[in-house]
Amino acid sequence: MSTKVYVVFYSMYGHIHRMAEAVAEGARAVPGAEVRLWQVPELVPEDVLEKSGAKAARAAFAQVPVIRPDQLPEADAIIFGAPTRFGNMCAQMRNFLDQTGGLWAKGALIGKVGSVFTSTATQHGGQESTLLSFHTTLLHHGMVIVGLPYSEARQMTLAEISGGSPYGASTISGGDGSRMPSENELAMARFQGRHVAQIAAKLAAGGQ
């Protein structure tokens, strides 16, 4: 029996996309997991993206399909990735989730596994508040929240600057966006993807 895992993300300069790929890699390591990578629609005008340099960065993952809200119920588990904006999820992800009211009314996501990863420019730029506030929306949908347990000991490292918390994997981009996810951060993302897929498989098997 297969388990469908959707990794749904928004990325402007590629940091979250790189983390999303690592999450998907980890999920694919679970036997029977069918993993798909999706991105949510962009809201920023093309000319603004070009001036900021984001248009060129986004070209690297332009092949990733854009998801519709009505596709979410197809998955057994959904792992969301979004950068922080002032301690909350970015507007693109918020706008996407705000379109899931019809799914909420039908209880279409109740019992599905939900998990989140994020990025910030600085070490204390709102990673935990973004992950925790994101969980609120998933709980309203009746999803089963899965984080990053301390069995993933990489989140406790003091040997280097690194993201990662019990609420989910994360990365630090630097003020100018020049820092891409470290191997430690990518390893945590892989762990999270694998962990979520394993739990989703168990829940799906129990439901049968």
Side-chain angles (χ1 to χ4, degrees):
M1 183 181 64
S2 64
T3 305
K4 290 187 177 180
V5 179
Y6 283 2
V7 182
V8 179
F9 72 93
Y10 173 78
S11 187
M12 180 167 276
Y13 292 103
H15 301 82
I16 285 291
H17 171 243
R18 183 67 192 90
M19 292 286 282
E21 288 186 320
V23 168
E25 181 183 346
R28 291 190 183 104
V30 177
E34 294 181 13
V35 184
R36 293 198 65 179
L37 210 60
W38 302 90
Q39 58 179 318
V40 301
E42 180 60 270
L43 301 177
V44 179
E46 286 288 313
D47 62 325
V48 177
L49 288 173
E50 188 162 5
K51 288 177 183 177
S52 67
K55 187 173 182 179
R58 287 175 55 78
F61 52 91
Q63 78 285 354
V64 178
V66 174
I67 193 169
R68 303 186 313 272
D70 62 10
Q71 292 175 283
L72 294 177
E74 300 168 1
D76 298 298
I78 309 168
I79 310 173
F80 295 94
T84 186
R85 292 290 184 270
F86 302 108
N88 290 282
M89 72 179 80
C90 63
Q92 291 86 346
M93 184 62 74
R94 183 69 265 167
N95 177 265
F96 175 77
L97 291 173
D98 282 346
Q99 298 175 56
T100 61
L103 299 180
W104 170 83
K106 295 185 293 186
L109 302 182
I110 291 175
K112 295 183 183 295
V113 178
S115 193
V116 190
F117 58 98
T118 192
S119 69
T120 57
T122 61
Q123 289 186 73
H124 308 291
Q127 293 187 2
E128 293 188 354
S129 63
T130 298
L131 295 169
L132 287 169
S133 60
F134 204 125
H135 288 166
T136 303
T137 298
L138 306 188
L139 287 167
H140 273 262
H141 273 293
M143 300 183 77
V144 178
I145 305 299
V146 174
L148 188 70
Y150 276 110
S151 55
E152 173 47 296
R154 292 179 183 89
Q155 65 182 285
M156 294 187 285
T157 184
L158 294 177
E160 61 181 90
I161 293 174
S162 180
S165 74
Y167 315 114
S170 55
T171 186
I172 303 163
S173 66
D176 60 359
S178 62
R179 181 185 183 275
M180 294 305 288
S182 68
E183 178 51 39
N184 194 65
E185 293 165 336
L186 293 173
M188 285 187 278
R190 294 185 198 102
F191 184 103
Q192 186 171 346
R194 184 172 64 254
H195 183 57
V196 169
Q198 288 170 337
I199 290 176
K202 290 178 182 178
L203 290 175
Q208 296 297 317

